[in-house]
Amino acid sequence: MGVSLLALLAASQATAQTAVSPTEQPNPGSVIQSGPGQSGDPQEVAGDDPANDIIVRGVRGSLLRSVETKRDASTIVDAISAEELGKFPNRNVAEALSNIPGVTVGRDGRGEGRSITVRGLGESFALTTLNGRILPTDGPDRSFAFDVLPSEVISGAEIQKAAQAAQLEGSIGGNVDLRTARPFDHKGFHAAGSLEGQYNQFAEKGGVKASGVVSTTFANDTMGVLVSGTYNKYKFRTDNLGEYSSTDTFDIATAANGQRSIVNVPNGGVIVPYFYSVGYVLGERERWGGSAAYQWKPSSNFELRLDGIYSNYTDNEENHRVSVGLTPLADDGSVRWDLNNVKVDSNKVVTNYTVNPATVDILATTEPRHSITYQYGGHIDWTPVDRLKVAADVSYGKATNNTGGQNRFVVAGIPGSRAVVATRDGGLPDLQITIPNADGTLTDRPLTDAGNGDLRAHYIGIQGQNISDRSTQAKLDFAYEVDNGVMKSFTFGGAYLNRKKTVDVIDNQYTTAENFAGYPFSFAAIGANVVQEGQVSNILPKLSGNFPRSIPSFDIDTYLASLAKAENNPNVLNPATGQPYPTGYATQQIVPDLLASYAIRERTWDGYFQFNVEGARWRGDFGLRYVHTSVDSLGYGATVRSYQVIGVGTANVVFNPIEPINGGGDYSRLLPSANFAYDLADGLRVRLAASQAISRPTFGQLSSAKDYSAAQSNTPVVTDAGNPNLKPVSADQADISLEYYPNNRLALTVAAFYKHLTNFVTTQAVAFNLVPTNQVAGAPSSFPFTELTYVNGDSAKVYGIEVGGQYFLRNGFGVQANATYNKSRAERAGRPTVNLEDAVPFSANAKLFYEAHGVNASVSYQYQSRFVSSQYSYIDSLAIKQSPYHELAASVSYDVLPQVTIYAQGSNLLDSATKRFSTYSNVPAFYEYTGRAFFFGIRARM
């Protein structure tokens, strides 16, 4: 790690320093820079006693730096900062950002924050940059997954909530700019390192993390180098509701004689789960990476910075669960509900019924993720002549996630079972499963008795994506000081971004996935020992209800290897041919799936002009940013050669060879912005901002692919029809804030915002006539079809208020708190008006801390109210809502030596779980529980 722990322990003498007055620091809001803060940012700030400028470290120092960034910025921003060199204040960057007003964190279901929502707008509306450069992403869309980035390589972050002409466009929610540490942040030699142990109470497993950073300046402090590194490995367990996909396409009809029957309806019938599955995930994550930076400042007129980051992240997960289909009709159309006992509540939710026969599926999945992300670049600040400043920045970044053909979804089942279901308000429905005896009769045999003679081979899904995201960026900015009356300066410049996202899907979907579909034989019939006892015996222990708590399982490799015993085996016959399975039939053919693959190249040219004005008690800026974006899209499709309807749900379709489909589009936007700040009194400032902003469509929406494969089941629909000519979502937005900074111990802010969004991307059904290219004789020459494609059209309004404050007592105690109220309405064509997805109506954060006498202790609480997670579920009329979420964390540390600290931390101390439901509390949609986590370690610095 470049840090000698023994050397750190030996260093026992602290060096006193004098802090620089905040008014002498460079303006962090300057437009002539590449990230939050310039070289020489105050990483150690003054206390509240002017007579004794003592270094303030820890939580208090971090909060003071964040307030200084907010106060000195030229627009409305919020910020967070590392408490000390190499020490970020939260477990990861996403969770640290959630301490900012208006920011809520989206969790990945494995105990980590992964995405953020800013001011009620989802992750696709936020732009994430590193040192002012757009970060490539390892997923198929634009949103940045914060879990790939070790928090130790970040020294601070700034969220710009109002737009400026001089800043990059592409965000309506907020511009999130992460900052890496630089050697000039701390002149001289500095080093820090930590070693941490981790324990997950639920998984009953541990982990380890080590990190370190070394920074030094030399050549009379005109040059500096910084290197950091981190390694983390831990195991986890998550219990979940794997699926509860409701449907309302069945209804219960009652005849005059009281006889009940099942009828098919398009929608509006009783609400019943299509599938219900519950289980657990066992996994291991490993993350390592680091950062490096070089600075050279030979004079006050010139500075060169070179910096880069690297992250290597591996996530291996095994998912085991039981799944049961619960619809009233069997495949042959017979009724399998006991209609005399069915109950339906006032919301038309079926609350009590028996399904017989039912097929019980045991599922196992492996879901690897291997992400490599890196970015490097260079930046120059130059003052060639008085009053003129020039900034140039170039960078290259790449993110990959190569798991094509590595994700596996394997199913074995037990036909002829019985399921009894009863719903519960606010919890998972009861699910009692009975499996058949060897002779097919049903008594009271439980699922836990299932073995090789019960489970039968069924489905083998193998797929995955190889994703690559490459970005090349260049920026050139000029600032000229005029200082003529109220006109102080004007800035102008431009930027160029060349980004290419490639998604190559590799799977067996059209080759061997269904070779053994239909449960043709049990594992015992082929002499295979596959079925094992479940690794978990208390699924979802914190949740009441009568559902499977333990399920049989199988190892996927053992399952796949056993299938070779079915080849040339006279005891088992292929039901499709009536003959034994031939040699090689069990071998899985994993091939490129071109129909699901695409490549998008996006080029953007920007130019801007901004005037900066200032008076005795006020300052402001106004300007225009011109944006031109061109899109080149490559997708694939196979058109229909011939089409013959065989019967309901069946068609004989011959496709033409798969061919590339090229498409593209472009758009230009002129984005005005204006910002104004006025000092009502010393320490009291009001800010106003107005602008137009855009957020671009996701890459998948821009794909030119078209998939006709649904025609095989006589479904006249073209799916996955992208639109490379989509335009960005646009927003008119306005902000006002009041900020009060009477001294270094107190800060209070209140802000209000309004956004009107248009051109939302939505799915539209477009009717057309399908004309086969070489239709067979006697068949119709055309067929009415529908293409589900992406279009611009829907709109939404978002408005809200944010309040925040912090106060430090002189005895070492302090408090920080904020709250956000948010209101949104989404206007959707053909669907009910609902709240915008992921817009949390109310969120709050509070932190109480104490720092004195070598003790640093804090308790943090976060709250999110109920919100709409998705505007519609499997049933269009039912939105998916997430229940309120509470998060409590605590930490305590003690300085055993001036440079050595021991610490302990705990997260999710309330043992909270994530819960979602489809409008009604007895129609669950999602449930995930991860348990508490604890961390303990030693940290040293010099």
Side-chain angles (χ1 to χ4, degrees):
M1 306 301 296
V3 178
S4 169
L5 188 59
L6 292 176
L8 294 176
L9 292 171
S12 60
Q13 181 63 41
T15 303
Q17 301 182 46
T18 300
V20 180
S21 170
T23 59
E24 298 175 1
Q25 299 299 334
N27 177 14
S30 170
V31 299
I32 202 76
Q33 62 178 13
S34 66
Q38 295 179 336
S39 300
D41 268 0
Q43 295 300 301
E44 297 159 340
V45 296
D48 54 12
D49 186 356
N52 298 286
D53 279 341
I54 304 300
I55 301 270
V56 180
R57 300 185 185 274
V59 175
R60 183 173 174 178
S62 172
L63 295 177
L64 284 172
R65 287 191 295 274
S66 300
V67 167
E68 287 183 5
T69 299
K70 181 179 180 68
R71 181 188 61 196
D72 296 337
S74 54
T75 186
I76 299 173
V77 304
D78 279 296
I80 55 173
S81 174
E83 296 177 15
E84 297 175 20
L85 182 66
K87 180 190 175 188
F88 213 64
N90 286 75
R91 304 308 309 172
N92 63 51
V93 180
E95 293 174 0
L97 291 170
S98 68
N99 291 305
I100 292 177
V103 177
T104 54
V105 62
R107 304 182 185 279
D108 65 354
R110 310 294 185 256
E112 272 197 64
R114 182 173 180 178
S115 61
I116 62 168
T117 294
V118 183
R119 286 185 163 180
L121 293 167
E123 55 185 335
S124 61
F125 291 94
L127 181 69
T128 303
T129 58
L130 180 71
N131 297 328
R133 305 155 184 158
I134 295 176
L135 277 166
T137 62
D138 73 323
D141 51 19
R142 299 179 187 274
S143 56
F144 183 73
F146 288 90
D147 58 353
V148 307
L149 200 60
S151 61
E152 288 78 10
V153 306
I154 302 300
S155 66
E158 179 180 308
I159 296 186
Q160 183 174 315
K161 296 180 175 179
Q164 283 183 298
Q167 299 294 337
L168 288 175
E169 85 297 331
S171 164
I172 294 177
N175 242 8
V176 182
D177 195 11
L178 310 176
R179 182 187 186 274
T180 56
R182 300 166 184 162
F184 285 3
D185 293 344
H186 302 264
K187 297 293 180 68
F189 177 80
H190 298 274
S194 67
L195 182 64
E196 178 179 280
Q198 303 174 342
Y199 180 75
N200 183 282
Q201 185 183 42
F202 191 40
E204 298 182 342
K205 301 291 184 179
V208 64
K209 181 168 74 171
S211 63
V213 57
V214 176
S215 174
T216 185
T217 58
F218 50 93
N220 295 322
D221 288 338
T222 62
M223 292 187 184
V225 176
L226 179 146
V227 178
S228 73
T230 180
Y231 176 80
N232 184 204
K233 186 176 184 178
Y234 67 97
K235 295 183 178 181
F236 61 88
R237 169 186 166 187
T238 298
D239 288 7
N240 59 54
L241 174 69
E243 182 181 5
Y244 199 90
S245 49
S246 302
T247 180
D248 64 348
T249 57
F250 303 98
D251 210 347
I252 301 175
T254 304
N257 61 1
Q259 186 71 29
R260 286 181 164 186
S261 62
I262 294 293
V263 294
N264 287 291
V265 295
N267 52 61
V270 294
I271 298 171
V272 62
Y274 201 89
F275 279 100
Y276 176 6
S277 73
V278 65
Y280 58 91
V281 178
L282 302 176
E284 180 180 80
R285 287 179 169 174
E286 185 176 32
R287 181 191 293 112
W288 61 276
S291 67
Y294 167 79
Q295 282 182 277
W296 179 43
K297 191 172 184 179
S299 70
S300 60
N301 295 329
F302 183 86
E303 179 181 348
L304 167 68
R305 297 197 299 268
L306 303 175
D307 57 78
I309 62 159
Y310 178 84
S311 171
N312 192 313
Y313 176 59
T314 301
D315 180 10
N316 292 311
E317 301 180 8
E318 293 184 4
N319 190 343
H320 300 272
R321 64 180 190 262
V322 56
S323 178
V324 185
L326 300 174
T327 51
L329 301 181
D331 292 340
D332 60 3
S334 60
V335 177
R336 55 183 191 152
W337 282 6
D338 181 359
L339 294 178
N340 293 325
N341 295 325
V342 168
K343 296 180 181 179
V344 181
D345 68 13
S346 59
N347 297 317
K348 300 190 72 173
V349 178
V350 177
T351 61
N352 188 75
Y353 57 99
T354 299
V355 182
N356 184 17
T359 299
V360 176
D361 284 329
I362 303 299
L363 297 82
T365 71
T366 54
E367 305 168 21
R369 179 178 167 208
H370 185 201
S371 299
I372 296 177
T373 303
Y374 63 86
Q375 187 180 70
Y376 55 85
H379 183 90
I380 291 177
D381 285 319
W382 180 36
T383 306
V385 296
D386 289 344
R387 297 191 175 187
L388 178 64
K389 295 181 179 180
V390 182
D393 191 274
V394 295
S395 65
Y396 176 80
K398 185 176 182 180
T400 59
N401 180 20
N402 294 324
T403 55
Q406 298 178 40
N407 293 347
R408 299 183 295 182
F409 180 92
V410 179
V411 182
I414 311 174
S417 300
R418 178 177 60 215
V420 180
V421 182
T423 62
R424 289 171 171 264
D425 286 342
L428 299 190
D430 288 345
L431 174 64
Q432 295 178 279
I433 295 174
T434 304
I435 63 174
N437 300 310
D439 60 1
T441 60
L442 276 170
T443 53
D444 58 354
R445 192 165 170 236
L447 177 62
T448 51
D449 279 359
N452 291 301
D454 300 293
L455 265 68
R456 307 173 74 88
H458 180 47
Y459 181 79
I460 305 165
I462 302 177
Q463 59 91 35
Q465 300 173 325
N466 290 337
I467 298 175
S468 172
D469 188 4
R470 293 176 291 176
S471 64
T472 302
Q473 304 170 67
K475 294 191 293 182
L476 185 62
D477 300 287
F478 300 89
Y480 185 75
E481 297 180 6
V482 179
D483 202 13
N484 183 10
V486 299
M487 179 64 70
K488 293 301 179 182
S489 66
F490 62 86
T491 58
F492 60 96
Y496 171 72
L497 171 65
N498 186 344
R499 187 172 184 179
K500 185 177 182 180
K501 174 80 74 170
T502 302
V503 177
D504 293 324
V505 178
I506 302 174
D507 59 34
N508 70 339
Q509 180 178 357
Y510 302 110
T511 55
T512 56
E514 298 189 21
N515 273 13
F516 296 100
Y519 314 96
F521 54 82
S522 69
F523 294 112
I526 60 173
N529 183 17
V530 174
V531 183
Q532 307 168 350
E533 184 179 349
Q535 301 178 60
V536 171
S537 59
N538 59 338
I539 296 172
L540 292 169
K542 301 293 183 179
L543 194 65
S544 61
N546 186 6
F547 51 84
R549 303 287 185 168
S550 179
I551 58 177
S553 66
F554 55 82
D555 174 74
I556 293 180
D557 290 333
T558 303
Y559 179 116
L560 297 179
S562 73
L563 296 178
K565 296 183 178 182
E567 297 175 355
N568 300 311
N569 188 333
N571 296 322
V572 292
L573 302 178
N574 185 344
T577 64
Q579 300 296 320
Y581 295 99
T583 301
Y585 193 83
T587 302
Q588 296 303 304
Q589 300 176 26
I590 306 168
V591 298
D593 186 351
L594 294 179
L595 295 177
S597 303
Y598 58 85
I600 310 294
R601 182 180 293 276
E602 193 174 70
R603 297 180 179 90
T604 299
W605 294 263
D606 296 271
Y608 74 91
F609 200 95
Q610 178 175 303
F611 294 96
N612 306 297
V613 293
E614 187 174 340
R617 302 181 65 86
W618 61 272
R619 64 178 178 175
D621 63 72
F622 57 93
L624 291 170
R625 188 174 189 90
Y626 174 77
V627 180
H628 178 79
T629 299
S630 64
V631 175
D632 293 318
S633 174
L634 171 64
Y636 297 88
T639 57
V640 175
R641 179 181 178 88
S642 63
Y643 191 108
Q644 284 182 291
V645 177
I646 304 300
V648 177
T650 307
N652 185 10
V653 183
V654 178
F655 294 99
N656 289 308
I658 296 175
E659 295 181 343
I661 304 174
N662 292 291
D666 60 74
Y667 52 86
S668 299
R669 292 289 186 273
L670 193 61
L671 305 175
S673 63
N675 294 272
F676 176 78
Y678 184 80
D679 293 332
L680 301 171
D682 289 345
L684 181 62
R685 176 175 297 163
V686 63
R687 296 182 189 265
L688 301 171
S691 63
Q692 290 183 342
I694 62 172
S695 284
R696 294 180 168 86
T698 67
F699 289 107
Q701 293 168 342
L702 294 171
S703 170
S704 54
K706 296 182 186 295
D707 188 354
Y708 290 81
S709 59
Q712 291 174 306
S713 59
N714 197 24
T715 303
V717 174
V718 177
T719 59
D720 297 328
N723 183 357
N725 201 33
L726 284 172
K727 302 302 185 283
V729 181
S730 300
D732 297 325
Q733 50 191 25
D735 298 81
I736 182 173
S737 73
L738 186 66
E739 304 166 4
Y740 182 49
Y741 312 107
N743 52 56
N744 274 356
R745 294 194 297 123
L746 176 64
L748 298 172
T749 63
V750 59
F753 58 90
Y754 171 81
K755 301 175 186 290
H756 181 207
L757 290 78
T758 57
N759 265 350
F760 259 103
V761 177
T762 186
T763 303
Q764 185 178 84
V766 180
F768 73 102
N769 283 327
L770 173 69
V771 179
T773 60
N774 190 11
Q775 182 66 306
V776 296
S781 60
S782 65
F783 299 85
F785 256 65
T786 299
E787 180 177 282
L788 299 179
T789 188
Y790 296 107
V791 297
N792 295 106
D794 290 350
S795 63
K797 294 180 181 179
V798 183
Y799 50 92
I801 186 170
E802 303 167 347
V803 295
Q806 58 190 48
Y807 182 68
F808 308 133
L809 283 73
R810 297 183 185 276
N811 60 5
F813 282 98
V815 62
Q816 179 199 31
N818 63 71
T820 301
Y821 171 78
N822 175 79
K823 181 69 174 178
S824 66
R825 299 298 287 171
E827 303 288 340
R828 308 176 303 157
R831 293 194 179 100
T833 299
V834 297
N835 293 336
L836 199 63
E837 291 182 3
D838 295 327
V840 180
F842 180 77
S843 60
N845 303 278
K847 174 182 285 187
L848 178 66
F849 61 89
Y850 174 81
E851 289 182 314
H853 310 296
V855 177
N856 186 325
S858 68
V859 177
S860 301
Y861 172 75
Q862 295 181 2
Y863 171 77
Q864 295 179 12
S865 66
R866 177 179 296 177
F867 67 93
V868 173
S869 175
S870 178
Q871 293 174 354
Y872 54 93
S873 60
Y874 291 91
I875 301 174
D876 277 1
S877 61
L878 301 185
I880 296 179
K881 300 179 181 180
Q882 180 161 312
S883 298
Y885 186 84
H886 306 261
E887 171 79 19
L888 183 68
S891 68
V892 61
S893 67
Y894 179 69
D895 295 337
V896 295
L897 292 173
Q899 284 79 29
V900 180
T901 301
I902 57 174
Y903 65 91
Q905 300 174 343
S907 65
N908 193 24
L909 297 179
L910 296 177
D911 221 14
S912 299
T914 302
K915 308 174 185 178
R916 297 177 193 151
F917 55 92
S918 298
T919 300
Y920 306 123
S921 62
N922 59 348
V923 186
F926 181 87
Y927 191 100
E928 220 153 21
Y929 172 73
T930 58
R932 301 181 180 94
F934 299 94
F935 315 89
F936 46 91
I938 183 171
R939 185 180 299 112
R941 64 178 181 271
M942 61 184 304

